[in-house]
Amino acid sequence: MNKIIFIALTAVAFLASSLNSEAQGRVNFSNTLNNRITNSLTDQPISGTNAFCIGLYVGPNGSTAAQLTLVGLTTNAPSGVPTDPFAGLFNGGNPFKLPIPYDDSAPVAFQIRAWTLADGASYEAALLSGDPNLLIGQSALGWVIPTLPPSLPSSLPNLFGVGPGQVSAFSLV
């Protein structure tokens, strides 16, 4: 009898974890040619093969920048020079699954942050690196309602300015 109860509980736990993993909200963690990340010193798109780290920070709707948590990392698209077609671009996933508890039931606050990859695994670590050549920056705060399949993922960067679920381009300094 104990064996049957154990098997039944294991099956329920497996089904519950499967449902939870599918209930994760999805967003489009990438940008486009219209909202590239730029270097404020040169006024050109950032370039170099995986030279920059781009982080997706999220939190409950209404969060301040300081209250957001790093949930996704990617690097900039490989590009040799700022005039390269891929300069200033990143693609962290489309769809990108947000961690639980971010599902499709409520808006979430988010921010895109970028820094020189050699200066750390997070925006906060890069700030503390002391590197005089550090390039670092962040987008404005945005909010988005994540989607669930079969809906398309919500876009984060906006093509034409800031709106729900979208932020415009930003520069590193």
Side-chain angles (χ1 to χ4, degrees), residues 2-168:
N2 285 340
K3 196 174 203 179
I4 292 172
I5 292 172
F6 175 76
I7 292 170
L9 289 175
T10 303
V12 169
F14 174 76
L15 288 173
S17 68
S18 295
L19 290 174
N20 281 343
S21 68
E22 292 304 317
Q24 292 170 265
R26 303 175 317 150
V27 295
N28 177 358
F29 177 32
S30 64
N31 66 345
T32 69
L33 296 173
N34 296 322
N35 57 5
R36 298 176 194 230
I37 299 173
T38 58
N39 177 336
S40 68
L41 304 174
T42 63
D43 204 28
Q44 295 290 315
I46 60 172
S47 61
T49 301
N50 303 323
F52 296 91
C53 200
I54 294 89
L56 172 58
Y57 285 72
V58 300
N61 194 33
S63 295
T64 65
Q67 295 169 318
L68 301 178
T69 303
L70 178 62
V71 298
L73 282 173
T74 191
T75 56
N76 62 300
S79 57
V81 294
T83 55
D84 187 297
F86 296 107
L89 299 179
F90 66 90
N91 186 347
N94 182 16
F96 177 84
K97 282 186 179 182
L98 295 173
I100 294 170
Y102 303 110
D103 56 25
D104 68 335
S105 63
V108 296
F110 74 92
Q111 187 174 52
I112 307 293
R113 300 178 188 174
W115 60 94
T116 313
L117 181 62
D119 289 306
S122 70
Y123 183 85
E124 296 77 15
L127 282 174
L128 297 173
S129 71
D131 181 358
N133 298 314
L134 171 66
L135 285 173
I136 195 164
Q138 58 192 8
S139 72
L141 286 174
W143 65 272
V144 66
I145 298 174
T147 62
L148 293 177
S151 299
L152 294 175
S154 300
S155 290
L156 299 181
N158 185 2
L159 302 178
F160 307 106
V162 178
Q166 302 166 336
V167 296
S168 55

